Amino acid sequence: MRQKIAAGNWKMNKTFDDGISLVKDIVNGAETKPGTLVILGTPFIHLKEAVQATSYNDQVKIAAQNCHQETKGAYTGEISVEMLKSIGVEYVILGHSERREYFRESNERIAEKIKAVLAGGLKPIFCCGESLEIREEGWHVRYVKNQLKRGIFDLSEEDFKKVIIAYEPIWAIGTGVTASPDQAQEIHKEIRNAIAEQYNDSIANATSILYGGSVKPANAVELFSQADVDGGLVGGASLKAETFLPIIDALPAHIS
Ligand code: PEP
């Protein structure tokens, strides 16, 4: 069965000292249940120290929030998969709606980055999700399926098994508005069915599909108890131990 995951996305927040102190508060405070995983997506400056600070707990891992699709070269300001790997980072968040919108990352560019991450031996957290306009027009399922198709559905079975999916409706990110548990479950089920159609049932059942969009301690238990919601990708509430630790605690234990 699949892993239950609480992933934090710090975005562009925290000085070096504040960030490392938060990593330590989380790794020391987390009471990780069997079958659960915590992933902290920190800015680049924290990654190396964060990997070291969490190395004693194999249920806490570190993610970068982006990387470049090329292996090396004249790409000023960019970070390669090899560089991330060289400091022990294991995950990379890709396709976040903020990268898609503010940095004009297309489905094709995201697909290239996914492949680069997998080729380098790291694991991608692939984000997808629709805008409020698309949701209101009622074609969000089709839109998200198209993101899956163009972002990750041409991967080999072996590579696809390493992907974590995060469904993050843009209208719920950083807005305080959360998808209802039913809304989350509906689209997570659609995503899982699409994986089963593209690959097979056993791969679909083993894929962790996280919900993202204003997850907080008050709504995490109900969201995470939906059949096809395997945890969350959390922005704002991952910036404080007092709000992220209860979210970690909301993950159901899973014994395979
Ligand atoms: C995110 O940025 O991935 C996110 C879900 O943010 P928030 O939890 O703040 O809505």
Side-chain angles (χ1 to χ4, degrees):
M1 267 295 274
R2 51 191 181 261
Q3 218 158 20
K4 306 291 177 184
I5 300 169
N9 175 16
W10 292 7
K11 313 189 186 191
M12 195 174 73
N13 289 296
K14 302 287 175 192
T15 60
F16 180 74
D17 286 347
D18 288 351
I20 296 310
S21 131
L22 176 58
V23 168
K24 288 180 180 163
D25 287 347
I26 290 168
V27 71
N28 293 333
E31 290 177 26
T32 39
K33 296 173 190 158
T36 66
L37 183 68
V38 176
I39 303 175
L40 304 177
T42 78
F44 291 127
I45 60 157
H46 303 98
L47 292 171
K48 184 164 190 264
E49 191 81 12
V51 166
Q52 281 161 9
T54 53
S55 59
Y56 74 91
N57 185 338
D58 65 4
Q59 283 177 273
V60 182
K61 301 288 184 189
I62 302 301
Q65 299 172 19
N66 184 30
C67 68
H68 198 267
Q69 65 276 14
E70 298 296 337
T71 50
K72 62 170 138 169
Y75 301 101
T76 303
E78 292 290 330
I79 298 272
S80 75
V81 174
E82 197 63 26
M83 291 173 190
L84 296 173
K85 204 172 157 184
S86 73
I87 53 166
V89 170
E90 290 183 44
Y91 293 85
V92 186
I93 299 170
L94 291 172
H96 193 281
S97 59
E98 288 152 16
R99 300 284 326 165
R100 292 178 189 261
E101 183 183 348
Y102 306 139
F103 301 94
R104 299 273 177 270
E105 290 194 9
S106 62
N107 285 311
E108 290 62 37
R109 174 53 42 84
I110 293 159
E112 286 171 1
K113 291 187 176 197
I114 294 269
K115 289 191 180 76
V117 161
L118 289 163
L122 305 191
K123 287 167 263 187
I125 301 173
F126 172 78
C127 304
C128 55
E130 80 287 355
S131 65
L132 184 59
E133 200 184 0
I134 292 171
R135 164 71 57 166
E136 285 177 346
E137 287 169 5
W139 53 290
H140 49 286
V141 172
R142 186 153 49 96
Y143 183 83
V144 168
K145 280 187 180 171
N146 185 52
Q147 287 182 316
L148 296 170
K149 183 171 157 222
R150 294 172 67 184
I152 52 177
F153 273 3
D154 65 340
L155 296 175
S156 67
E157 287 191 4
E158 200 191 324
D159 274 346
F160 188 85
K161 287 181 192 166
K162 296 171 192 145
V163 177
I164 295 167
I165 295 174
Y167 166 67
E168 300 205 301
I170 299 167
W171 46 272
I173 296 180
T175 58
V177 178
T178 315
S180 69
D182 285 350
Q183 284 175 318
Q185 170 56 24
E186 179 216 22
I187 193 144
H188 280 230
K189 177 120 198 78
E190 293 278 2
I191 293 171
R192 201 174 304 289
N193 288 345
I195 300 168
E197 233 169 76
Q198 184 68 26
Y199 293 93
N200 57 52
D201 283 348
S202 120
I203 290 182
N205 286 330
T207 303
S208 296
I209 307 174
L210 315 185
Y211 166 78
S214 299
V215 174
K216 34 193 176 238
N219 58 28
V221 171
E222 210 185 343
L223 282 164
F224 298 172
S225 62
Q226 301 303 305
D228 289 288
V229 177
D230 304 311
L233 178 57
V234 185
S238 72
L239 292 172
K240 285 188 186 153
E242 72 229 47
T243 44
F244 196 51
L245 290 173
I247 292 172
I248 295 171
D249 211 38
L251 292 171
H254 170 68
I255 297 133
S256 50

